[in-house]
Amino acid sequence: MKNFCFIIFLTCIFNALRSENTSDILKTRLDNQLYEFPQEKIHLTTDRDNYMGGDTIWFRAFVVDAISHQQVATSKYIYVELRNPFNQVETRVKIMEHDGIYEGYVPLSLNIAEGPYMLTSYTMFMQNRGETYFFKKMIPVKSPFSTQVRINTQFTIDKEENTIEAILSYTNLQSGAPQNYDTACFSFYNGDQKQDNYSQDKNIKLKISSEQQESGYFLAEYDKYAKYIKLPDTSGQFDVSFHPEGGYLIPGEVCKIAFKGINSSGNGIDVTGRIFDSNNNEIAYFKSIHAGMGITSFIPKYGETYYAECNADSLGSNIFMLPAVEPAAAIISATNVNDSIITLQAKGNLPDSAFIFMQERGLYVYSQSIQESAQLSVDCSDIPSGVMQILLLDKNMNTLSERLLFFKQDDIYNNIGIRSSKPIYENRDKVKLQLDIDKSNFSGGGSIAISVTDN
């Protein structure tokens, strides 16, 4: 009996050491990855969010290490591009770092076409990772001519031919009468152009093919006034995707399912729906909360299949199949209890010696062996805000399930206040501002960008 107990004791020690060694191996691999593949992040703050043709986009860039979010100056230059709705570069500037600061501007032409532009920024080092790592910010730009004239559009969709007929007219805003023009030119993403000259009180008809619709916009130019005009959705279709927590539907367990509804242009749309089993019994109801996204839950049954009837208002209704029930799978479920505690629970067909491994920005956070249905509470009060990756691994470090969780801390950056020296200022008074930071949580220096804009 003593020998049997001693063997159990040694087995427990061995499993604990193996778990510890596995965690050490993963820590080492993370450290090696950070060393071999360092990354930068870049953020641009602009003086405004909306601009007019002839304005100047003033900006300040912050280049930081992707792991620590501390300022770095390894890249001596950044590149800032303004891209139009056709994804063409309107202008590009190259900014050199001075004392760790990147600042500059992008001038806008007085005749720039009105529309939504993408402000994109990157370093040469970031180009190695691809455009998904670039900073991007949508910048709406208005034309000064839009205060005097307007381009009116009416669309008719031919679903069979997948074409759009556009009827355009040009109006003087002050008089409400048709505006005369010398030339009108219409350009499309695929390079096609159509032109009309010398018009008085005339509507223009355009037949826009599926190839010309590819970017979702076309460019209309009446003399000096140019505008990117958004095209309507021709398909009349939408899609709803379903994403079970941890990657799988587990039979006999409460499974949370996230969903997202999008139209054919990839934009989120509000959806409602019901989930049914193979016998057409209603199992759950769901409704999107924001941008087509939402969450629902139900208990799947072994061997059962499920489908959802979804409705998207003007786009009608459609049926979508849910992922199959996976009796052999295991998942990890995570819940934010409060600002510092995360509760973890493993469900499903959990193998022996399974364990949890957590990392954020490539830095080790937590690891622990876990049993089926057991709950773990993890204190993350010392972890900075960011996206936490939670992995459920087997003893050979194969990934069984993954959960991404946005973790928001009430850190010092959320507790920055600004005070002015006087409640009211006279013309040309000197303005003094004081920045309030909790110094007990802040060490070292920093840099601040502030923009001052009149009405």
Side-chain angles (χ1 to χ4, degrees):
M1 184 68 180
K2 289 183 180 179
N3 290 337
F4 179 72
C5 293
F6 182 68
I7 291 173
I8 294 177
F9 176 71
L10 287 179
T11 302
C12 292
I13 293 179
F14 174 75
N15 287 336
L17 289 174
R18 181 171 62 182
S19 176
E20 182 179 355
N21 290 337
T22 302
S23 297
D24 290 339
I25 291 172
L26 288 171
K27 289 181 192 177
T28 302
R29 290 182 178 179
L30 284 175
D31 292 340
N32 290 340
Q33 178 172 304
L34 298 180
Y35 178 78
E36 296 290 342
F37 304 102
Q39 295 180 25
E40 294 175 331
K41 286 183 180 178
I42 186 169
H43 177 80
L44 247 67
T45 177
T46 55
D47 61 331
R48 283 183 287 159
D49 291 327
N50 298 274
Y51 294 88
M52 185 78 77
D55 284 344
T56 299
I57 302 176
W58 294 91
F59 63 83
R60 170 78 178 276
F62 298 86
V63 181
V64 299
D65 176 72
I67 306 303
S68 65
H69 285 188
Q70 297 298 309
Q71 184 173 319
V72 294
T74 305
S75 296
K76 293 299 181 183
Y77 297 91
I78 66 166
Y79 300 84
V80 180
E81 298 175 347
L82 189 69
R83 302 185 183 184
N84 63 32
F86 289 170
N87 200 31
Q88 299 166 336
V89 177
E90 290 279 339
T91 183
R92 179 191 289 115
V93 295
K94 180 179 179 181
I95 305 298
M96 184 178 180
E97 170 262 334
H98 292 285
D99 297 327
I101 295 174
Y102 303 83
E103 56 185 356
Y105 61 92
V106 175
L108 299 178
S109 168
L110 184 66
N111 296 329
I112 190 171
E114 182 176 319
Y117 288 77
M118 186 68 72
L119 192 66
T120 305
S121 183
Y122 56 91
T123 65
M124 289 294 289
F125 186 77
M126 292 171 66
Q127 281 190 308
N128 298 329
R129 305 289 177 218
E131 285 202 15
T132 54
Y133 288 81
F134 291 5
F135 171 86
K136 295 182 180 181
K137 178 181 180 180
M138 189 65 72
I139 299 288
V141 177
K142 295 283 287 184
S143 170
F145 300 102
S146 65
T147 61
Q148 303 170 358
V149 291
R150 180 177 62 226
I151 301 175
N152 306 296
T153 55
Q154 291 181 335
F155 296 107
T156 303
I157 299 173
D158 188 330
K159 292 184 179 180
E160 292 184 0
E161 295 186 6
N162 195 22
T163 59
I164 299 174
E165 182 182 75
I167 301 177
L168 297 97
S169 59
Y170 197 42
T171 305
N172 185 294
L173 288 178
Q174 186 173 4
S175 65
Q179 175 72 28
N180 294 336
Y181 58 88
D182 291 330
T183 59
C185 183
F186 307 96
S187 305
F188 303 90
Y189 177 78
N190 65 345
D192 291 347
Q193 281 192 342
K194 298 180 181 179
Q195 192 161 327
D196 183 87
N197 298 324
Y198 310 111
S199 175
Q200 293 183 355
D201 191 13
K202 175 184 177 183
N203 292 340
I204 298 176
K205 291 185 178 181
L206 300 174
K207 189 172 183 180
I208 304 173
S209 67
S210 57
E211 292 80 11
Q212 296 169 339
Q213 301 169 28
E214 190 170 343
S215 72
Y217 288 86
F218 74 98
L219 176 61
E221 299 175 88
Y222 284 85
D223 294 336
K224 292 184 179 181
Y225 180 32
K227 181 179 180 180
Y228 285 98
I229 298 176
K230 186 172 179 59
L231 293 167
D233 181 16
T234 58
S235 67
Q237 298 178 355
F238 67 98
D239 182 60
V240 181
S241 57
F242 295 89
H243 311 276
E245 183 181 27
Y248 305 99
L249 290 179
I250 303 298
E253 299 281 356
V254 177
C255 293
K256 291 185 285 188
I257 304 176
F259 62 89
K260 181 174 178 63
I262 59 173
N263 59 21
S264 60
S265 300
N267 298 318
I269 53 172
D270 290 331
V271 295
T272 59
R274 290 176 169 82
I275 296 176
F276 298 87
D277 61 16
S278 58
N279 295 318
N280 301 322
N281 298 313
E282 184 176 331
I283 304 300
Y285 170 81
F286 58 88
K287 182 179 181 180
S288 59
I289 301 171
H290 171 72
M293 296 179 289
I295 190 169
T296 187
S297 63
F298 70 99
I299 302 177
K301 293 181 180 180
Y302 178 82
E304 186 62 271
T305 58
Y306 298 91
Y307 68 92
E309 286 187 358
C310 302
N311 183 70
D313 295 335
S314 61
L315 296 179
S317 60
N318 209 339
I319 293 178
F320 302 94
M321 295 301 298
L322 267 65
V325 179
E326 299 286 353
I331 66 167
I332 185 67
S333 176
T335 305
N336 270 26
V337 178
N338 52 43
D339 291 338
S340 60
I341 302 297
I342 296 175
T343 299
L344 306 175
Q345 183 179 13
K347 300 178 181 180
N349 186 21
L350 195 68
D352 295 335
S353 303
F355 68 101
I356 301 294
F357 188 83
M358 299 168 58
Q359 66 89 16
E360 184 187 86
R361 305 181 197 165
L363 296 177
Y364 170 83
V365 173
Y366 176 83
S367 62
Q368 177 66 48
S369 59
I370 189 170
Q371 303 297 322
E372 184 177 347
S373 299
Q375 285 192 348
L376 297 176
S377 292
V378 183
D379 185 358
C380 297
S381 55
D382 295 330
I383 307 302
S385 299
V387 177
M388 188 88 68
Q389 183 189 39
I390 306 170
L391 296 174
L392 178 63
L393 306 173
D394 65 15
K395 62 181 180 180
N396 297 318
M397 292 187 285
N398 296 311
T399 301
L400 304 175
S401 177
E402 178 189 28
R403 177 75 155 85
L404 298 180
L405 186 70
F406 178 72
F407 190 70
K408 186 178 185 300
Q409 283 279 32
D410 187 19
D411 50 30
I412 61 170
Y413 305 108
N414 298 324
N415 296 315
I416 297 178
I418 190 167
R419 290 184 293 165
S420 57
S421 57
K422 297 194 300 185
I424 299 176
Y425 292 92
E426 300 293 335
N427 288 341
R428 304 192 67 80
D429 271 1
K430 186 175 183 179
V431 178
K432 293 184 178 180
L433 300 177
Q434 177 172 317
L435 193 66
D436 294 329
I437 300 176
D438 184 359
K439 293 184 178 179
S440 62
N441 295 324
F442 184 79
S443 61
S447 62
I448 299 164
I450 186 170
S451 63
V452 180
T453 308
D454 62 16
N455 289 334

